[in-house]
Amino acid sequence: MSTAPDPEPRTPKPSLVFDDPLDQQSSDDTDRGWGERAGADGADSAADLKRFLDEKPPHHL
């Protein structure tokens, strides 16, 4: 008769979280990163025109 090997200790499985994901704020819920440029305060119309021309799609020539 053979003896069974000692069972290895089990690592606990990660638990499932059933929280509502809509209760948490995501990075899209903030205004940060939505087209702002460093140092732009909106008062310089020449900078706005340059940005418009830089970001204009090529089919809008």
Side-chain angles (χ1 to χ4, degrees):
M1 185 154 134
S2 64
T3 59
D6 291 335
E8 295 181 20
R10 293 185 187 179
T11 57
K13 292 183 179 179
S15 63
L16 295 176
V17 178
F18 292 101
D19 293 339
D20 186 4
L22 298 177
D23 287 342
Q24 302 171 3
Q25 185 177 28
S26 70
S27 61
D28 289 343
D29 292 338
T30 64
D31 290 335
R32 184 176 181 188
W34 285 93
E36 299 93 18
R37 294 201 178 194
D41 56 12
D44 190 5
S45 62
D48 289 340
L49 178 62
K50 181 178 181 334
R51 178 179 175 191
F52 171 74
L53 294 174
D54 287 344
E55 294 180 358
K56 183 174 56 169
H59 61 274
H60 288 159
L61 294 177

